[in-house]
Amino acid sequence: MTTTVEDVHALMTRATGDEKHDGSSASTVDALWVLYDKILRIDPQRPAAGDRDRFVLSKGHGPAAMFAVLAA
């Protein structure tokens, strides 16, 4: 099964629920999806690889989007 950005939006909605933080997450999710799907050198089968890229997100309540992308 191929995961799509729409799947990520659904996961993010589960993470934010009825809280008011979904706006911060929604403004971040597309950029995160492109980073993790197309740009960053990350292999889920080798999470400890020394040559992997690292990404740090610091955007208030935006990390819910990052968690959704990582879960996907």
Side-chain angles (χ1 to χ4, degrees), residues 7-56:
D7 297 326
V8 174
H9 280 284
L11 286 168
M12 188 185 64
T13 300
R14 290 184 191 151
T16 59
D18 292 333
E19 296 180 26
K20 304 299 179 203
H21 307 308
D22 55 343
S24 295
S25 296
S27 68
T28 308
V29 72
D30 293 329
L32 288 172
W33 180 256
V34 170
L35 281 172
Y36 277 91
D37 190 48
K38 305 287 184 198
I39 297 171
L40 296 176
R41 291 175 300 139
I42 296 173
D43 182 355
Q45 303 302 317
R46 298 177 46 234
D51 62 343
R52 76 187 185 284
D53 286 335
R54 288 151 174 90
F55 178 76
V56 177

